[in-house]
Amino acid sequence: MVDVMTRKRRGGGRAGAAARRGVSVIEQMPWRLPVNIDRPTEPLDEEGIQAIHEGAMRILEEIGVVFLNEEALEIFREAGCRVEGNLVRMDRDFVMEMVGKAPRDFTITPRNPDRQITIGGKYLLFGNVSSPPNYWDMEIGRKVPGTREQCANLLKLTQYFNCIHFAGGYPVEPVDIHASVRHLDVLYDKLTLTDKVMHAYSLGKERVEDVMEMVRIAGGLSHEEFEATPRMYTNINSTSPLKHDHPMIDGCLRLARRGQAIVVTPFTLAGAMAPVTMAGAVAQSLAEALCAIALFQYVRPGIPCVIGTFTSNVDMKTGAPAFGTPEYMRSTQMTGQMARFYGLPMRSSGVCAANVPDGQAMWETSNSLWAAVQSQSNMVYHAAGWLEGGLIASPEKFIMDCEILQQIQRYMEPEVTATGPDEIALDAIRAVGNEGHFFGIQHTQDRYTTAFYQPFLSDWKNYEGWEAAGGIWTAERAHHKFKEIIGSFEAPPLDEGIREELADFVARRKVEGGAPTDF
């Protein structure tokens, strides 16, 4: 074993072999943390904000939330909350005092410090698709259960694209690995194939503890260094309506005590798991999130917490979840207002209900992503690769989504709206006058390579040019890009001693049985 305190610190890595040779499959935008320069869309007036806040507080005070976790119930008793069985009611003064302890912004530092991210403020960060059990690509042509190889390929896309800032959960669930050791193999892949911020599923003591240890090892950190600042995060969902389960709360408590970040995201579908009205669904979602955040702040004041929204609606004809709808957009914007009211960073999602990477997939995802922008979200989950309401991950959709993400990033760059003399360009306008064109003048020549966003996937040729080039539709172009990226990918550098220690840890934990399962 290599002594953790004497390891050599590693440097930042690149996307792959092609990048190292100075050649890239695509000309993508550089790594940066986008800043949202737009004013947020705020559909609620002050009276509306107060009405939704009052609704959330009355839910917590009068109706209560079930916590299926004995440790959490004991903590709430200690804090003076009313606990009857597993039902907890809490006064608004307690909730607001605790929530007020959470930081408005914080950093998470992965094994490559150059990939550190800041969550909060006006930062707008994107993560990969997380947790679908199934996979679809154009070569297979049908929905299939996820595998480790498919999961690894999506992780390679996560590393490759600079517009992806953090790695969510498994980009597809590798069901060919037994559930007891799945987290060990996937985290090994994640930590060796990527150098971006890591996630842990809060699904039992063993999984959470294993992931924290693997992230610590990969960063070459002592236990003290790991706990001194956030190095990873978890995301949990409440069990709507008004319930938190045992393993997710347990995992968050473990992470909180070791200084790691927590995202609480109720999954409230209006008309099914929440009221059919968007104000009622948002109020319920806020109550479910705030009570958990209050718990974590009581346990460790100042622990980084993010309030998440996954409030959408169901198709009232079938009961199926719908995403990217007008109601989804408005609920996201409303929750953004409320997150700012509570002083909390916010998480939203880039989601759709489409089954394949077609037009429906892209307009629903675009609606979801622009709602994230308008709400001033800080973390956007599932921003690339999501299909079928989260049941399918697709590499083609991943690449198509990254085109949108890059366009949003470009849209936010201050130079696009700069208004200095060079940008107003009176001399250029005077030179062209009432005739001629701007193509050939020096003002254009000096800027033509950087003036506008250049797509890597969109095809701007006219129909005849497109047809002459093979008439390739967007998803097929994305499939070709996927194959090229995977074919040229090389993992970012990792100290061999650290790699060996990670492998040894995985092997030992497998011998010990990994995490208990029900089967």
Side-chain angles (χ1 to χ4, degrees), residues 94-128:
F94 167 76
V95 175
M96 295 300 287
E97 180 186 354
M98 293 301 107
V99 170
K101 297 178 184 295
R104 289 179 175 268
D105 57 74
F106 58 92
T107 62
I108 307 181
T109 307
R111 71 174 179 88
N112 178 1
D114 293 338
R115 302 293 197 183
Q116 182 186 78
I117 60 176
T118 300
I119 296 173
K122 292 191 174 183
Y123 285 104
L124 174 64
L125 309 181
F126 302 111
N128 59 347

PDB file of all heavy atoms in Angstrom, residues 94-128:
ATOM      1  N   PHE A  94     -38.071  26.955  14.022  1.00  0.00           N
ATOM      2  CA  PHE A  94     -36.977  25.980  14.011  1.00  0.00           C
ATOM      3  C   PHE A  94     -36.492  25.748  12.587  1.00  0.00           C
ATOM      4  O   PHE A  94     -35.275  25.762  12.325  1.00  0.00           O
ATOM      5  CB  PHE A  94     -37.457  24.662  14.626  1.00  0.00           C
ATOM      6  CG  PHE A  94     -36.536  23.500  14.388  1.00  0.00           C
ATOM      7  CD1 PHE A  94     -35.355  23.365  15.093  1.00  0.00           C
ATOM      8  CD2 PHE A  94     -36.855  22.529  13.435  1.00  0.00           C
ATOM      9  CE1 PHE A  94     -34.500  22.299  14.866  1.00  0.00           C
ATOM     10  CE2 PHE A  94     -36.007  21.456  13.196  1.00  0.00           C
ATOM     11  CZ  PHE A  94     -34.826  21.347  13.913  1.00  0.00           C
ATOM     12  N   VAL A  95     -37.435  25.543  11.665  1.00  0.00           N
ATOM     13  CA  VAL A  95     -37.058  25.264  10.275  1.00  0.00           C
ATOM     14  C   VAL A  95     -36.253  26.425   9.700  1.00  0.00           C
ATOM     15  O   VAL A  95     -35.173  26.235   9.112  1.00  0.00           O
ATOM     16  CB  VAL A  95     -38.308  24.990   9.412  1.00  0.00           C
ATOM     17  CG1 VAL A  95     -37.925  24.830   7.945  1.00  0.00           C
ATOM     18  CG2 VAL A  95     -39.043  23.758   9.910  1.00  0.00           C
ATOM     19  N   MET A  96     -36.744  27.641   9.866  1.00  0.00           N
ATOM     20  CA  MET A  96     -36.072  28.788   9.270  1.00  0.00           C
ATOM     21  C   MET A  96     -34.719  29.054   9.934  1.00  0.00           C
ATOM     22  O   MET A  96     -33.764  29.469   9.265  1.00  0.00           O
ATOM     23  CB  MET A  96     -36.969  30.022   9.353  1.00  0.00           C
ATOM     24  CG  MET A  96     -38.247  29.894   8.523  1.00  0.00           C
ATOM     25  SD  MET A  96     -37.914  29.631   6.759  1.00  0.00           S
ATOM     26  CE  MET A  96     -37.349  31.263   6.292  1.00  0.00           C
ATOM     27  N   GLU A  97     -34.635  28.822  11.245  1.00  0.00           N
ATOM     28  CA  GLU A  97     -33.344  28.986  11.916  1.00  0.00           C
ATOM     29  C   GLU A  97     -32.321  28.002  11.369  1.00  0.00           C
ATOM     30  O   GLU A  97     -31.160  28.363  11.100  1.00  0.00           O
ATOM     31  CB  GLU A  97     -33.495  28.786  13.421  1.00  0.00           C
ATOM     32  CG  GLU A  97     -32.181  28.941  14.181  1.00  0.00           C
ATOM     33  CD  GLU A  97     -32.286  28.596  15.658  1.00  0.00           C
ATOM     34  OE1 GLU A  97     -33.411  28.337  16.135  1.00  0.00           O
ATOM     35  OE2 GLU A  97     -31.233  28.565  16.329  1.00  0.00           O
ATOM     36  N   MET A  98     -32.719  26.744  11.205  1.00  0.00           N
ATOM     37  CA  MET A  98     -31.792  25.734  10.710  1.00  0.00           C
ATOM     38  C   MET A  98     -31.416  25.996   9.252  1.00  0.00           C
ATOM     39  O   MET A  98     -30.228  25.966   8.880  1.00  0.00           O
ATOM     40  CB  MET A  98     -32.406  24.338  10.852  1.00  0.00           C
ATOM     41  CG  MET A  98     -32.593  23.858  12.274  1.00  0.00           C
ATOM     42  SD  MET A  98     -31.043  23.787  13.210  1.00  0.00           S
ATOM     43  CE  MET A  98     -31.262  25.190  14.300  1.00  0.00           C
ATOM     44  N   VAL A  99     -32.407  26.259   8.416  1.00  0.00           N
ATOM     45  CA  VAL A  99     -32.134  26.499   6.997  1.00  0.00           C
ATOM     46  C   VAL A  99     -31.221  27.707   6.826  1.00  0.00           C
ATOM     47  O   VAL A  99     -30.363  27.743   5.932  1.00  0.00           O
ATOM     48  CB  VAL A  99     -33.455  26.680   6.218  1.00  0.00           C
ATOM     49  CG1 VAL A  99     -33.206  27.172   4.790  1.00  0.00           C
ATOM     50  CG2 VAL A  99     -34.231  25.358   6.185  1.00  0.00           C
ATOM     51  N   GLY A 100     -31.371  28.682   7.694  1.00  0.00           N
ATOM     52  CA  GLY A 100     -30.521  29.871   7.630  1.00  0.00           C
ATOM     53  C   GLY A 100     -29.056  29.598   7.895  1.00  0.00           C
ATOM     54  O   GLY A 100     -28.200  30.443   7.602  1.00  0.00           O
ATOM     55  N   LYS A 101     -28.722  28.435   8.448  1.00  0.00           N
ATOM     56  CA  LYS A 101     -27.327  28.083   8.711  1.00  0.00           C
ATOM     57  C   LYS A 101     -26.614  27.543   7.464  1.00  0.00           C
ATOM     58  O   LYS A 101     -25.386  27.449   7.438  1.00  0.00           O
ATOM     59  CB  LYS A 101     -27.251  27.041   9.828  1.00  0.00           C
ATOM     60  CG  LYS A 101     -27.773  27.536  11.176  1.00  0.00           C
ATOM     61  CD  LYS A 101     -27.705  26.443  12.221  1.00  0.00           C
ATOM     62  CE  LYS A 101     -28.329  26.904  13.542  1.00  0.00           C
ATOM     63  NZ  LYS A 101     -27.574  28.007  14.163  1.00  0.00           N
ATOM     64  N   ALA A 102     -27.367  27.143   6.444  1.00  0.00           N
ATOM     65  CA  ALA A 102     -26.765  26.564   5.234  1.00  0.00           C
ATOM     66  C   ALA A 102     -26.074  27.650   4.416  1.00  0.00           C
ATOM     67  O   ALA A 102     -26.603  28.763   4.294  1.00  0.00           O
ATOM     68  CB  ALA A 102     -27.843  25.881   4.395  1.00  0.00           C
ATOM     69  N   PRO A 103     -24.912  27.371   3.846  1.00  0.00           N
ATOM     70  CA  PRO A 103     -24.223  28.383   3.040  1.00  0.00           C
ATOM     71  C   PRO A 103     -24.945  28.660   1.728  1.00  0.00           C
ATOM     72  O   PRO A 103     -25.572  27.778   1.150  1.00  0.00           O
ATOM     73  CB  PRO A 103     -22.849  27.744   2.781  1.00  0.00           C
ATOM     74  CG  PRO A 103     -23.080  26.278   2.886  1.00  0.00           C
ATOM     75  CD  PRO A 103     -24.163  26.100   3.913  1.00  0.00           C
ATOM     76  N   ARG A 104     -24.850  29.892   1.277  1.00  0.00           N
ATOM     77  CA  ARG A 104     -25.458  30.270  -0.003  1.00  0.00           C
ATOM     78  C   ARG A 104     -24.645  29.736  -1.187  1.00  0.00           C
ATOM     79  O   ARG A 104     -25.178  29.587  -2.287  1.00  0.00           O
ATOM     80  CB  ARG A 104     -25.591  31.789  -0.103  1.00  0.00           C
ATOM     81  CG  ARG A 104     -26.652  32.361   0.825  1.00  0.00           C
ATOM     82  CD  ARG A 104     -26.724  33.878   0.717  1.00  0.00           C
ATOM     83  NE  ARG A 104     -27.831  34.401   1.521  1.00  0.00           N
ATOM     84  CZ  ARG A 104     -29.065  34.616   1.067  1.00  0.00           C
ATOM     85  NH1 ARG A 104     -29.343  34.366  -0.206  1.00  0.00           N
ATOM     86  NH2 ARG A 104     -29.996  35.094   1.859  1.00  0.00           N
ATOM     87  N   ASP A 105     -23.382  29.491  -0.973  1.00  0.00           N
ATOM     88  CA  ASP A 105     -22.538  28.911  -2.025  1.00  0.00           C
ATOM     89  C   ASP A 105     -21.399  28.155  -1.370  1.00  0.00           C
ATOM     90  O   ASP A 105     -21.054  28.407  -0.209  1.00  0.00           O
ATOM     91  CB  ASP A 105     -22.022  29.978  -2.991  1.00  0.00           C
ATOM     92  CG  ASP A 105     -21.243  31.072  -2.286  1.00  0.00           C
ATOM     93  OD1 ASP A 105     -20.087  30.819  -1.876  1.00  0.00           O
ATOM     94  OD2 ASP A 105     -21.784  32.179  -2.121  1.00  0.00           O
ATOM     95  N   PHE A 106     -20.807  27.230  -2.117  1.00  0.00           N
ATOM     96  CA  PHE A 106     -19.706  26.413  -1.603  1.00  0.00           C
ATOM     97  C   PHE A 106     -19.000  25.774  -2.780  1.00  0.00           C
ATOM     98  O   PHE A 106     -19.493  25.798  -3.914  1.00  0.00           O
ATOM     99  CB  PHE A 106     -20.224  25.331  -0.640  1.00  0.00           C
ATOM    100  CG  PHE A 106     -21.244  24.392  -1.246  1.00  0.00           C
ATOM    101  CD1 PHE A 106     -20.846  23.202  -1.846  1.00  0.00           C
ATOM    102  CD2 PHE A 106     -22.600  24.702  -1.209  1.00  0.00           C
ATOM    103  CE1 PHE A 106     -21.772  22.339  -2.407  1.00  0.00           C
ATOM    104  CE2 PHE A 106     -23.538  23.845  -1.774  1.00  0.00           C
ATOM    105  CZ  PHE A 106     -23.134  22.662  -2.367  1.00  0.00           C
ATOM    106  N   THR A 107     -17.826  25.220  -2.518  1.00  0.00           N
ATOM    107  CA  THR A 107     -17.068  24.533  -3.555  1.00  0.00           C
ATOM    108  C   THR A 107     -17.025  23.038  -3.271  1.00  0.00           C
ATOM    109  O   THR A 107     -17.170  22.609  -2.130  1.00  0.00           O
ATOM    110  CB  THR A 107     -15.627  25.056  -3.653  1.00  0.00           C
ATOM    111  OG1 THR A 107     -14.960  24.805  -2.415  1.00  0.00           O
ATOM    112  CG2 THR A 107     -15.610  26.541  -3.971  1.00  0.00           C
ATOM    113  N   ILE A 108     -16.858  22.253  -4.334  1.00  0.00           N
ATOM    114  CA  ILE A 108     -16.548  20.830  -4.217  1.00  0.00           C
ATOM    115  C   ILE A 108     -15.288  20.594  -5.036  1.00  0.00           C
ATOM    116  O   ILE A 108     -15.221  20.976  -6.206  1.00  0.00           O
ATOM    117  CB  ILE A 108     -17.681  19.920  -4.731  1.00  0.00           C
ATOM    118  CG1 ILE A 108     -19.017  20.271  -4.066  1.00  0.00           C
ATOM    119  CG2 ILE A 108     -17.334  18.456  -4.472  1.00  0.00           C
ATOM    120  CD1 ILE A 108     -20.177  19.395  -4.526  1.00  0.00           C
ATOM    121  N   THR A 109     -14.294  19.956  -4.422  1.00  0.00           N
ATOM    122  CA  THR A 109     -12.996  19.754  -5.064  1.00  0.00           C
ATOM    123  C   THR A 109     -12.786  18.272  -5.338  1.00  0.00           C
ATOM    124  O   THR A 109     -12.639  17.475  -4.405  1.00  0.00           O
ATOM    125  CB  THR A 109     -11.855  20.278  -4.190  1.00  0.00           C
ATOM    126  OG1 THR A 109     -12.131  21.640  -3.830  1.00  0.00           O
ATOM    127  CG2 THR A 109     -10.525  20.205  -4.938  1.00  0.00           C
ATOM    128  N   PRO A 110     -12.756  17.850  -6.602  1.00  0.00           N
ATOM    129  CA  PRO A 110     -12.511  16.444  -6.933  1.00  0.00           C
ATOM    130  C   PRO A 110     -11.024  16.116  -6.934  1.00  0.00           C
ATOM    131  O   PRO A 110     -10.204  16.952  -6.522  1.00  0.00           O
ATOM    132  CB  PRO A 110     -13.109  16.328  -8.330  1.00  0.00           C
ATOM    133  CG  PRO A 110     -12.854  17.677  -8.935  1.00  0.00           C
ATOM    134  CD  PRO A 110     -12.963  18.671  -7.796  1.00  0.00           C
ATOM    135  N   ARG A 111     -10.680  14.927  -7.428  1.00  0.00           N
ATOM    136  CA  ARG A 111      -9.276  14.508  -7.401  1.00  0.00           C
ATOM    137  C   ARG A 111      -8.400  15.402  -8.265  1.00  0.00           C
ATOM    138  O   ARG A 111      -7.211  15.535  -8.011  1.00  0.00           O
ATOM    139  CB  ARG A 111      -9.130  13.038  -7.814  1.00  0.00           C
ATOM    140  CG  ARG A 111      -9.380  12.697  -9.282  1.00  0.00           C
ATOM    141  CD  ARG A 111      -9.053  11.229  -9.512  1.00  0.00           C
ATOM    142  NE  ARG A 111      -9.275  10.750 -10.871  1.00  0.00           N
ATOM    143  CZ  ARG A 111      -8.384  10.809 -11.852  1.00  0.00           C
ATOM    144  NH1 ARG A 111      -7.206  11.389 -11.632  1.00  0.00           N
ATOM    145  NH2 ARG A 111      -8.650  10.309 -13.042  1.00  0.00           N
ATOM    146  N   ASN A 112      -8.974  16.001  -9.288  1.00  0.00           N
ATOM    147  CA  ASN A 112      -8.249  16.987 -10.084  1.00  0.00           C
ATOM    148  C   ASN A 112      -8.714  18.370  -9.638  1.00  0.00           C
ATOM    149  O   ASN A 112      -9.825  18.788  -9.957  1.00  0.00           O
ATOM    150  CB  ASN A 112      -8.544  16.795 -11.579  1.00  0.00           C
ATOM    151  CG  ASN A 112      -7.848  17.832 -12.440  1.00  0.00           C
ATOM    152  OD1 ASN A 112      -7.132  18.694 -11.946  1.00  0.00           O
ATOM    153  ND2 ASN A 112      -8.071  17.760 -13.745  1.00  0.00           N
ATOM    154  N   PRO A 113      -7.901  19.107  -8.891  1.00  0.00           N
ATOM    155  CA  PRO A 113      -8.350  20.409  -8.375  1.00  0.00           C
ATOM    156  C   PRO A 113      -8.708  21.400  -9.462  1.00  0.00           C
ATOM    157  O   PRO A 113      -9.440  22.356  -9.206  1.00  0.00           O
ATOM    158  CB  PRO A 113      -7.164  20.884  -7.530  1.00  0.00           C
ATOM    159  CG  PRO A 113      -5.999  20.082  -7.994  1.00  0.00           C
ATOM    160  CD  PRO A 113      -6.537  18.766  -8.459  1.00  0.00           C
ATOM    161  N   ASP A 114      -8.200  21.184 -10.691  1.00  0.00           N
ATOM    162  CA  ASP A 114      -8.589  22.057 -11.794  1.00  0.00           C
ATOM    163  C   ASP A 114     -10.052  21.893 -12.171  1.00  0.00           C
ATOM    164  O   ASP A 114     -10.599  22.713 -12.913  1.00  0.00           O
ATOM    165  CB  ASP A 114      -7.717  21.786 -13.025  1.00  0.00           C
ATOM    166  CG  ASP A 114      -6.267  22.186 -12.811  1.00  0.00           C
ATOM    167  OD1 ASP A 114      -6.011  23.032 -11.922  1.00  0.00           O
ATOM    168  OD2 ASP A 114      -5.390  21.652 -13.511  1.00  0.00           O
ATOM    169  N   ARG A 115     -10.684  20.825 -11.699  1.00  0.00           N
ATOM    170  CA  ARG A 115     -12.112  20.585 -11.963  1.00  0.00           C
ATOM    171  C   ARG A 115     -12.983  20.959 -10.759  1.00  0.00           C
ATOM    172  O   ARG A 115     -14.130  20.526 -10.668  1.00  0.00           O
ATOM    173  CB  ARG A 115     -12.338  19.109 -12.303  1.00  0.00           C
ATOM    174  CG  ARG A 115     -11.559  18.596 -13.497  1.00  0.00           C
ATOM    175  CD  ARG A 115     -12.005  19.222 -14.791  1.00  0.00           C
ATOM    176  NE  ARG A 115     -11.534  18.450 -15.941  1.00  0.00           N
ATOM    177  CZ  ARG A 115     -11.731  18.787 -17.200  1.00  0.00           C
ATOM    178  NH1 ARG A 115     -12.392  19.892 -17.492  1.00  0.00           N
ATOM    179  NH2 ARG A 115     -11.269  18.030 -18.175  1.00  0.00           N
ATOM    180  N   GLN A 116     -12.446  21.759  -9.857  1.00  0.00           N
ATOM    181  CA  GLN A 116     -13.257  22.231  -8.726  1.00  0.00           C
ATOM    182  C   GLN A 116     -14.459  23.019  -9.251  1.00  0.00           C
ATOM    183  O   GLN A 116     -14.360  23.764 -10.230  1.00  0.00           O
ATOM    184  CB  GLN A 116     -12.418  23.125  -7.816  1.00  0.00           C
ATOM    185  CG  GLN A 116     -13.154  23.620  -6.582  1.00  0.00           C
ATOM    186  CD  GLN A 116     -12.340  24.625  -5.783  1.00  0.00           C
ATOM    187  OE1 GLN A 116     -12.247  25.804  -6.161  1.00  0.00           O
ATOM    188  NE2 GLN A 116     -11.731  24.173  -4.699  1.00  0.00           N
ATOM    189  N   ILE A 117     -15.601  22.858  -8.603  1.00  0.00           N
ATOM    190  CA  ILE A 117     -16.799  23.587  -8.997  1.00  0.00           C
ATOM    191  C   ILE A 117     -17.304  24.418  -7.823  1.00  0.00           C
ATOM    192  O   ILE A 117     -17.089  24.075  -6.664  1.00  0.00           O
ATOM    193  CB  ILE A 117     -17.907  22.653  -9.510  1.00  0.00           C
ATOM    194  CG1 ILE A 117     -18.346  21.639  -8.446  1.00  0.00           C
ATOM    195  CG2 ILE A 117     -17.451  21.938 -10.786  1.00  0.00           C
ATOM    196  CD1 ILE A 117     -19.516  20.760  -8.868  1.00  0.00           C
ATOM    197  N   THR A 118     -17.965  25.521  -8.145  1.00  0.00           N
ATOM    198  CA  THR A 118     -18.630  26.360  -7.153  1.00  0.00           C
ATOM    199  C   THR A 118     -20.128  26.245  -7.369  1.00  0.00           C
ATOM    200  O   THR A 118     -20.622  26.480  -8.478  1.00  0.00           O
ATOM    201  CB  THR A 118     -18.194  27.822  -7.272  1.00  0.00           C
ATOM    202  OG1 THR A 118     -16.778  27.914  -7.075  1.00  0.00           O
ATOM    203  CG2 THR A 118     -18.905  28.686  -6.247  1.00  0.00           C
ATOM    204  N   ILE A 119     -20.843  25.885  -6.318  1.00  0.00           N
ATOM    205  CA  ILE A 119     -22.290  25.721  -6.391  1.00  0.00           C
ATOM    206  C   ILE A 119     -22.941  26.840  -5.606  1.00  0.00           C
ATOM    207  O   ILE A 119     -22.658  27.032  -4.421  1.00  0.00           O
ATOM    208  CB  ILE A 119     -22.709  24.347  -5.843  1.00  0.00           C
ATOM    209  CG1 ILE A 119     -22.130  23.247  -6.741  1.00  0.00           C
ATOM    210  CG2 ILE A 119     -24.230  24.219  -5.769  1.00  0.00           C
ATOM    211  CD1 ILE A 119     -22.328  21.855  -6.208  1.00  0.00           C
ATOM    212  N   GLY A 120     -23.805  27.592  -6.271  1.00  0.00           N
ATOM    213  CA  GLY A 120     -24.466  28.719  -5.644  1.00  0.00           C
ATOM    214  C   GLY A 120     -24.226  29.990  -6.427  1.00  0.00           C
ATOM    215  O   GLY A 120     -23.613  29.977  -7.506  1.00  0.00           O
ATOM    216  N   GLY A 121     -24.727  31.092  -5.912  1.00  0.00           N
ATOM    217  CA  GLY A 121     -24.577  32.360  -6.612  1.00  0.00           C
ATOM    218  C   GLY A 121     -25.250  32.296  -7.971  1.00  0.00           C
ATOM    219  O   GLY A 121     -26.380  31.830  -8.103  1.00  0.00           O
ATOM    220  N   LYS A 122     -24.525  32.730  -8.991  1.00  0.00           N
ATOM    221  CA  LYS A 122     -25.068  32.703 -10.354  1.00  0.00           C
ATOM    222  C   LYS A 122     -24.421  31.622 -11.215  1.00  0.00           C
ATOM    223  O   LYS A 122     -24.618  31.612 -12.431  1.00  0.00           O
ATOM    224  CB  LYS A 122     -24.906  34.074 -11.006  1.00  0.00           C
ATOM    225  CG  LYS A 122     -25.782  35.143 -10.351  1.00  0.00           C
ATOM    226  CD  LYS A 122     -25.814  36.422 -11.160  1.00  0.00           C
ATOM    227  CE  LYS A 122     -26.806  37.409 -10.577  1.00  0.00           C
ATOM    228  NZ  LYS A 122     -26.916  38.642 -11.399  1.00  0.00           N
ATOM    229  N   TYR A 123     -23.668  30.718 -10.591  1.00  0.00           N
ATOM    230  CA  TYR A 123     -23.064  29.636 -11.360  1.00  0.00           C
ATOM    231  C   TYR A 123     -24.145  28.677 -11.856  1.00  0.00           C
ATOM    232  O   TYR A 123     -25.100  28.351 -11.139  1.00  0.00           O
ATOM    233  CB  TYR A 123     -22.043  28.885 -10.524  1.00  0.00           C
ATOM    234  CG  TYR A 123     -20.750  29.653 -10.350  1.00  0.00           C
ATOM    235  CD1 TYR A 123     -20.457  30.288  -9.148  1.00  0.00           C
ATOM    236  CD2 TYR A 123     -19.843  29.760 -11.398  1.00  0.00           C
ATOM    237  CE1 TYR A 123     -19.277  31.002  -8.990  1.00  0.00           C
ATOM    238  CE2 TYR A 123     -18.666  30.476 -11.249  1.00  0.00           C
ATOM    239  CZ  TYR A 123     -18.390  31.098 -10.048  1.00  0.00           C
ATOM    240  OH  TYR A 123     -17.228  31.813  -9.904  1.00  0.00           O
ATOM    241  N   LEU A 124     -23.972  28.211 -13.095  1.00  0.00           N
ATOM    242  CA  LEU A 124     -24.918  27.327 -13.762  1.00  0.00           C
ATOM    243  C   LEU A 124     -24.148  26.104 -14.256  1.00  0.00           C
ATOM    244  O   LEU A 124     -23.453  26.172 -15.270  1.00  0.00           O
ATOM    245  CB  LEU A 124     -25.573  28.062 -14.938  1.00  0.00           C
ATOM    246  CG  LEU A 124     -26.485  27.275 -15.864  1.00  0.00           C
ATOM    247  CD1 LEU A 124     -27.719  26.774 -15.119  1.00  0.00           C
ATOM    248  CD2 LEU A 124     -26.898  28.134 -17.051  1.00  0.00           C
ATOM    249  N   LEU A 125     -24.248  24.988 -13.527  1.00  0.00           N
ATOM    250  CA  LEU A 125     -23.419  23.818 -13.786  1.00  0.00           C
ATOM    251  C   LEU A 125     -24.272  22.636 -14.232  1.00  0.00           C
ATOM    252  O   LEU A 125     -25.393  22.445 -13.750  1.00  0.00           O
ATOM    253  CB  LEU A 125     -22.632  23.445 -12.531  1.00  0.00           C
ATOM    254  CG  LEU A 125     -21.839  24.583 -11.874  1.00  0.00           C
ATOM    255  CD1 LEU A 125     -21.094  24.070 -10.660  1.00  0.00           C
ATOM    256  CD2 LEU A 125     -20.888  25.241 -12.860  1.00  0.00           C
ATOM    257  N   PHE A 126     -23.705  21.823 -15.131  1.00  0.00           N
ATOM    258  CA  PHE A 126     -24.442  20.727 -15.745  1.00  0.00           C
ATOM    259  C   PHE A 126     -23.821  19.377 -15.394  1.00  0.00           C
ATOM    260  O   PHE A 126     -22.595  19.230 -15.375  1.00  0.00           O
ATOM    261  CB  PHE A 126     -24.454  20.887 -17.264  1.00  0.00           C
ATOM    262  CG  PHE A 126     -25.054  22.187 -17.728  1.00  0.00           C
ATOM    263  CD1 PHE A 126     -24.256  23.165 -18.310  1.00  0.00           C
ATOM    264  CD2 PHE A 126     -26.405  22.442 -17.568  1.00  0.00           C
ATOM    265  CE1 PHE A 126     -24.799  24.375 -18.737  1.00  0.00           C
ATOM    266  CE2 PHE A 126     -26.965  23.643 -17.992  1.00  0.00           C
ATOM    267  CZ  PHE A 126     -26.155  24.618 -18.581  1.00  0.00           C
ATOM    268  N   GLY A 127     -24.686  18.390 -15.144  1.00  0.00           N
ATOM    269  CA  GLY A 127     -24.237  17.030 -14.873  1.00  0.00           C
ATOM    270  C   GLY A 127     -24.821  16.053 -15.870  1.00  0.00           C
ATOM    271  O   GLY A 127     -25.794  16.342 -16.579  1.00  0.00           O
ATOM    272  N   ASN A 128     -24.247  14.859 -15.909  1.00  0.00           N
ATOM    273  CA  ASN A 128     -24.688  13.830 -16.851  1.00  0.00           C
ATOM    274  C   ASN A 128     -25.977  13.167 -16.374  1.00  0.00           C
ATOM    275  O   ASN A 128     -26.424  13.342 -15.252  1.00  0.00           O
ATOM    276  CB  ASN A 128     -23.594  12.774 -17.034  1.00  0.00           C
ATOM    277  CG  ASN A 128     -23.219  12.103 -15.724  1.00  0.00           C
ATOM    278  OD1 ASN A 128     -23.569  12.554 -14.634  1.00  0.00           O
ATOM    279  ND2 ASN A 128     -22.494  11.007 -15.805  1.00  0.00           N
TER     280      ASN A 128
END
